[in-house]
Amino acid sequence: MPAMSRLRAYHALLAVLMVAAYFSTEWGSAHAWLGYGVAAVIALRLVMALTGSRQLGLMRFYPHFQGLKVDNAFTHPAISRVLLVGIAVCLIGVTATGIAMDGGRSLGANPPVASSTDPSRAAGDAHDEAEEDDEGEEGEEGGPLGEVHELFGNGLMLLVVLHVSYLFLFKRPLARFMLFAAAKTKSQPLP
């Protein structure tokens, strides 16, 4: 498969998983599974960057500001690369904090610890769990890590909206190509 086709497929899979994860916050373990899916796609992208062609390398995220002037400020590749770096930072941040908050429970790697054999103790634990559920975000998800996770998630969505808007306003052929709407010509540089 050509490098750019792999990149488009990766991009589409990541976009679908990320948007689904963002809008599934109330779906319990489905949200965590989608987050693990995003982590797998990120790992795949790193493998692609290390073993693939130059177009798939990580240096394409590094913004180069040479040649940036007032007359080309909106079409210069540095703009889209800055957005890509922001997206990458937020994506890695939201994924890492989500995995840290889950602790492997959704994968069955860290099952909840069973309480002692004392039935009164088990009833007390069930009551404590019910209180945590009633508290909602005051429980495990509402701690500092949950706040950072939410901050990264909201920042990610903001940057994705800016990224998509920028591409449609100033790099329409590239946007159409990434959406499988048009074939990419050799004269169009990557951002």
Side-chain angles (χ1 to χ4, degrees), residues 76-98:
H76 194 276
I79 304 301
S80 55
R81 288 181 177 183
V82 166
L83 288 170
L84 286 176
V85 167
I87 288 170
V89 166
C90 286
L91 185 64
I92 291 168
V94 74
T95 305
T97 56

Side-chain angles (χ1 to χ4, degrees), residues 60-155:
R60 62 182 294 263
F61 288 97
Y62 183 75
H64 300 281
F65 296 99
Q66 301 94 331
L68 180 62
K69 299 176 185 152
V70 173
D71 62 338
N72 72 350
F74 291 113
T75 58
H76 194 276
I79 304 301
S80 55
R81 288 181 177 183
V82 166
L83 288 170
L84 286 176
V85 167
I87 288 170
V89 166
C90 286
L91 185 64
I92 291 168
V94 74
T95 305
T97 56
I99 289 171
M101 286 177 5
D102 184 58
R105 284 187 299 277
S106 295
L107 298 176
N110 191 11
V113 178
S115 61
S116 66
T117 56
D118 181 14
S120 64
R121 172 87 175 128
D125 288 346
H127 177 70
D128 292 343
E129 288 176 16
E131 283 182 8
E132 285 179 17
D133 289 342
D134 291 341
E135 290 173 2
E137 295 196 9
E138 293 301 317
E140 180 179 328
E141 294 176 348
L145 193 58
E147 293 295 323
V148 172
H149 181 72
E150 187 175 338
L151 180 68
F152 274 130
N154 291 332

